[in-house]
Amino acid sequence: QVQVVESGGGLVQAGGSLRLSCTVSGLTFDDYPMGWFRQSPGKEREGVSCISWSGGTTYYADSVKGRFTISRDNAKNTLYLQMNSLKPEDTAMYYCAARPKYYNGAYCGWPSYGRDYWGKGTLVTISS
């Protein structure tokens, strides 16, 4: 059974930073790409960032390029998202997903596997 657990969300002021973490169990972590997605009320889910199994390629949504950095530690089965220069529009529930639809840095899509492949989310709130 795959388990995905996010942590690190919280309330910060605009311009601040947060680091999200995601631990995964139940699958061979370093066999698969990983991704971060977010959704806020009234908006569609957005692929924020994805990373290849090795960390060699990454994808970022235009809205976060230059501010967010995705990384992974395959020895710890952990995915990270460093978020800097946060803006109120970054406020959302952030989800970690295993095996996203990922193509070589060009596309980052929600996984088509079962519910086990993403976590319950961690809430990020940015105050102005």
Side-chain angles (χ1 to χ4, degrees):
Q1 182 182 1
V2 180
Q3 288 189 322
V4 178
V5 180
E6 306 96 338
S7 61
L11 170 65
V12 298
Q13 289 187 330
S17 297
L18 280 174
R19 189 194 196 201
L20 305 184
S21 298
C22 167
T23 57
V24 180
S25 60
L27 57 71
T28 306
F29 184 75
D30 55 6
D31 275 355
Y32 302 109
M34 293 290 301
W36 288 100
F37 298 81
R38 68 185 181 186
Q39 189 166 22
S40 52
K43 293 186 178 181
E44 292 188 357
R45 185 172 53 225
E46 175 185 22
V48 175
S49 182
C50 284
I51 188 168
S52 62
W53 66 271
S54 67
T57 65
T58 56
Y59 166 92
Y60 294 97
D62 288 343
S63 57
V64 306
K65 280 181 182 176
R67 301 188 297 121
F68 290 11
T69 303
I70 191 170
S71 61
R72 64 190 296 163
D73 185 336
N74 287 344
K76 295 182 178 179
N77 283 17
T78 302
L79 178 73
Y80 303 100
L81 186 68
Q82 178 66 43
M83 305 187 296
N84 298 329
S85 302
L86 285 161
K87 304 176 181 180
E89 51 264 45
D90 294 319
T91 295
M93 186 69 80
Y94 283 71
Y95 299 91
C96 172
R99 304 187 71 177
K101 297 176 183 177
Y102 177 70
Y103 180 72
N104 212 24
Y107 179 74
C108 174
W110 191 251
S112 57
Y113 297 92
R115 175 63 184 86
D116 289 349
Y117 284 79
W118 57 89
K120 295 181 179 179
T122 186
L123 182 62
V124 172
T125 304
I126 311 302
S127 63
S128 57

mmCIF file of all heavy atoms in Angstrom, residues 10-18 85-92 123-128:
data_model
loop_
_atom_site.group_PDB
_atom_site.id
_atom_site.type_symbol
_atom_site.label_atom_id
_atom_site.label_comp_id
_atom_site.label_asym_id
_atom_site.label_seq_id
_atom_site.Cartn_x
_atom_site.Cartn_y
_atom_site.Cartn_z
ATOM 1 N N GLY A 10 1.779 26.167 6.435
ATOM 2 C CA GLY A 10 1.556 27.093 7.537
ATOM 3 C C GLY A 10 1.155 28.452 7.033
ATOM 4 O O GLY A 10 0.855 28.641 5.856
ATOM 5 N N LEU A 11 1.150 29.400 7.957
ATOM 6 C CA LEU A 11 0.786 30.783 7.657
ATOM 7 C C LEU A 11 2.041 31.641 7.705
ATOM 8 O O LEU A 11 2.743 31.662 8.723
ATOM 9 C CB LEU A 11 -0.234 31.283 8.689
ATOM 10 C CG LEU A 11 -0.556 32.773 8.667
ATOM 11 C CD1 LEU A 11 -1.229 33.157 7.362
ATOM 12 C CD2 LEU A 11 -1.439 33.123 9.861
ATOM 13 N N VAL A 12 2.326 32.318 6.598
ATOM 14 C CA VAL A 12 3.461 33.230 6.544
ATOM 15 C C VAL A 12 3.057 34.512 5.846
ATOM 16 O O VAL A 12 2.073 34.541 5.098
ATOM 17 C CB VAL A 12 4.687 32.615 5.835
ATOM 18 C CG1 VAL A 12 5.188 31.392 6.570
ATOM 19 C CG2 VAL A 12 4.363 32.291 4.391
ATOM 20 N N GLN A 13 3.819 35.561 6.089
ATOM 21 C CA GLN A 13 3.562 36.828 5.414
ATOM 22 C C GLN A 13 4.116 36.808 3.992
ATOM 23 O O GLN A 13 5.047 36.057 3.681
ATOM 24 C CB GLN A 13 4.207 37.968 6.184
ATOM 25 C CG GLN A 13 3.517 38.281 7.504
ATOM 26 C CD GLN A 13 4.082 39.530 8.154
ATOM 27 O OE1 GLN A 13 5.251 39.859 7.993
ATOM 28 N NE2 GLN A 13 3.228 40.223 8.911
ATOM 29 N N ALA A 14 3.533 37.626 3.155
ATOM 30 C CA ALA A 14 4.040 37.768 1.793
ATOM 31 C C ALA A 14 5.537 38.120 1.830
ATOM 32 O O ALA A 14 5.970 38.921 2.664
ATOM 33 C CB ALA A 14 3.263 38.844 1.058
ATOM 34 N N GLY A 15 6.268 37.495 0.921
ATOM 35 C CA GLY A 15 7.712 37.690 0.893
ATOM 36 C C GLY A 15 8.485 36.659 1.691
ATOM 37 O O GLY A 15 9.715 36.571 1.563
ATOM 38 N N GLY A 16 7.773 35.892 2.493
ATOM 39 C CA GLY A 16 8.419 34.885 3.322
ATOM 40 C C GLY A 16 8.673 33.586 2.581
ATOM 41 O O GLY A 16 8.461 33.486 1.368
ATOM 42 N N SER A 17 9.131 32.598 3.342
ATOM 43 C CA SER A 17 9.494 31.305 2.775
ATOM 44 C C SER A 17 8.893 30.173 3.584
ATOM 45 O O SER A 17 8.624 30.313 4.784
ATOM 46 C CB SER A 17 11.022 31.141 2.772
ATOM 47 O OG SER A 17 11.636 32.105 1.954
ATOM 48 N N LEU A 18 8.681 29.060 2.900
ATOM 49 C CA LEU A 18 8.275 27.806 3.521
ATOM 50 C C LEU A 18 8.955 26.659 2.792
ATOM 51 O O LEU A 18 9.253 26.778 1.595
ATOM 52 C CB LEU A 18 6.762 27.602 3.444
ATOM 53 C CG LEU A 18 5.856 28.313 4.431
ATOM 54 C CD1 LEU A 18 4.399 28.062 4.061
ATOM 55 C CD2 LEU A 18 6.122 27.855 5.846
ATOM 56 N N SER A 85 9.886 33.961 -1.592
ATOM 57 C CA SER A 85 9.171 35.134 -2.132
ATOM 58 C C SER A 85 7.688 34.830 -2.303
ATOM 59 O O SER A 85 7.095 35.115 -3.355
ATOM 60 C CB SER A 85 9.782 35.559 -3.471
ATOM 61 O OG SER A 85 11.149 35.851 -3.330
ATOM 62 N N LEU A 86 7.104 34.290 -1.276
ATOM 63 C CA LEU A 86 5.712 33.858 -1.362
ATOM 64 C C LEU A 86 4.764 35.033 -1.538
ATOM 65 O O LEU A 86 4.987 36.135 -1.014
ATOM 66 C CB LEU A 86 5.351 33.051 -0.131
ATOM 67 C CG LEU A 86 5.923 31.628 -0.140
ATOM 68 C CD1 LEU A 86 5.952 31.034 1.263
ATOM 69 C CD2 LEU A 86 5.116 30.746 -1.073
ATOM 70 N N LYS A 87 3.700 34.775 -2.291
ATOM 71 C CA LYS A 87 2.694 35.783 -2.608
ATOM 72 C C LYS A 87 1.330 35.304 -2.107
ATOM 73 O O LYS A 87 1.100 34.096 -1.988
ATOM 74 C CB LYS A 87 2.623 35.978 -4.119
ATOM 75 C CG LYS A 87 3.934 36.347 -4.783
ATOM 76 C CD LYS A 87 3.781 36.416 -6.294
ATOM 77 C CE LYS A 87 5.088 36.754 -6.983
ATOM 78 N NZ LYS A 87 4.943 36.815 -8.453
ATOM 79 N N PRO A 88 0.422 36.231 -1.856
ATOM 80 C CA PRO A 88 -0.924 35.811 -1.433
ATOM 81 C C PRO A 88 -1.562 34.822 -2.405
ATOM 82 O O PRO A 88 -2.306 33.923 -1.975
ATOM 83 C CB PRO A 88 -1.685 37.127 -1.378
ATOM 84 C CG PRO A 88 -0.646 38.147 -1.041
ATOM 85 C CD PRO A 88 0.582 37.693 -1.790
ATOM 86 N N GLU A 89 -1.274 34.954 -3.684
ATOM 87 C CA GLU A 89 -1.858 34.039 -4.675
ATOM 88 C C GLU A 89 -1.280 32.630 -4.602
ATOM 89 O O GLU A 89 -1.766 31.717 -5.286
ATOM 90 C CB GLU A 89 -1.727 34.594 -6.093
ATOM 91 C CG GLU A 89 -0.336 35.033 -6.481
ATOM 92 C CD GLU A 89 -0.131 36.535 -6.293
ATOM 93 O OE1 GLU A 89 -0.547 37.079 -5.236
ATOM 94 O OE2 GLU A 89 0.487 37.145 -7.196
ATOM 95 N N ASP A 90 -0.256 32.418 -3.792
ATOM 96 C CA ASP A 90 0.264 31.070 -3.567
ATOM 97 C C ASP A 90 -0.558 30.319 -2.514
ATOM 98 O O ASP A 90 -0.335 29.130 -2.292
ATOM 99 C CB ASP A 90 1.724 31.118 -3.103
ATOM 100 C CG ASP A 90 2.665 31.639 -4.168
ATOM 101 O OD1 ASP A 90 2.500 31.258 -5.343
ATOM 102 O OD2 ASP A 90 3.567 32.425 -3.817
ATOM 103 N N THR A 91 -1.479 31.009 -1.876
ATOM 104 C CA THR A 91 -2.329 30.368 -0.879
ATOM 105 C C THR A 91 -3.129 29.239 -1.507
ATOM 106 O O THR A 91 -3.835 29.434 -2.501
ATOM 107 C CB THR A 91 -3.288 31.400 -0.256
ATOM 108 O OG1 THR A 91 -2.522 32.374 0.471
ATOM 109 C CG2 THR A 91 -4.269 30.729 0.686
ATOM 110 N N ALA A 92 -3.006 28.038 -0.948
ATOM 111 C CA ALA A 92 -3.682 26.869 -1.503
ATOM 112 C C ALA A 92 -3.391 25.664 -0.627
ATOM 113 O O ALA A 92 -2.526 25.705 0.249
ATOM 114 C CB ALA A 92 -3.191 26.588 -2.924
ATOM 115 N N LEU A 123 -1.779 22.763 4.088
ATOM 116 C CA LEU A 123 -2.324 24.078 3.756
ATOM 117 C C LEU A 123 -1.250 25.152 3.878
ATOM 118 O O LEU A 123 -0.579 25.265 4.906
ATOM 119 C CB LEU A 123 -3.499 24.403 4.679
ATOM 120 C CG LEU A 123 -4.208 25.716 4.420
ATOM 121 C CD1 LEU A 123 -4.822 25.734 3.020
ATOM 122 C CD2 LEU A 123 -5.280 25.954 5.481
ATOM 123 N N VAL A 124 -1.136 25.940 2.830
ATOM 124 C CA VAL A 124 -0.232 27.087 2.807
ATOM 125 C C VAL A 124 -1.078 28.356 2.698
ATOM 126 O O VAL A 124 -1.883 28.482 1.765
ATOM 127 C CB VAL A 124 0.750 26.993 1.623
ATOM 128 C CG1 VAL A 124 1.548 28.276 1.481
ATOM 129 C CG2 VAL A 124 1.677 25.794 1.811
ATOM 130 N N THR A 125 -0.892 29.259 3.646
ATOM 131 C CA THR A 125 -1.644 30.512 3.656
ATOM 132 C C THR A 125 -0.669 31.671 3.703
ATOM 133 O O THR A 125 0.175 31.727 4.609
ATOM 134 C CB THR A 125 -2.597 30.587 4.849
ATOM 135 O OG1 THR A 125 -3.463 29.441 4.835
ATOM 136 C CG2 THR A 125 -3.448 31.851 4.768
ATOM 137 N N ILE A 126 -0.782 32.558 2.738
ATOM 138 C CA ILE A 126 0.114 33.707 2.660
ATOM 139 C C ILE A 126 -0.694 34.975 2.908
ATOM 140 O O ILE A 126 -1.638 35.273 2.163
ATOM 141 C CB ILE A 126 0.803 33.791 1.287
ATOM 142 C CG1 ILE A 126 1.402 32.429 0.896
ATOM 143 C CG2 ILE A 126 1.880 34.882 1.310
ATOM 144 C CD1 ILE A 126 2.395 31.874 1.879
ATOM 145 N N SER A 127 -0.320 35.708 3.929
ATOM 146 C CA SER A 127 -1.013 36.942 4.263
ATOM 147 C C SER A 127 -0.325 38.128 3.596
ATOM 148 O O SER A 127 0.887 38.150 3.438
ATOM 149 C CB SER A 127 -1.050 37.131 5.773
ATOM 150 O OG SER A 127 0.261 37.265 6.279
ATOM 151 N N SER A 128 -1.146 39.094 3.227
ATOM 152 C CA SER A 128 -0.603 40.280 2.539
ATOM 153 C C SER A 128 -0.188 41.356 3.536
ATOM 154 O O SER A 128 -0.463 41.282 4.717
ATOM 155 C CB SER A 128 -1.636 40.827 1.563
ATOM 156 O OG SER A 128 -2.831 41.133 2.247
#
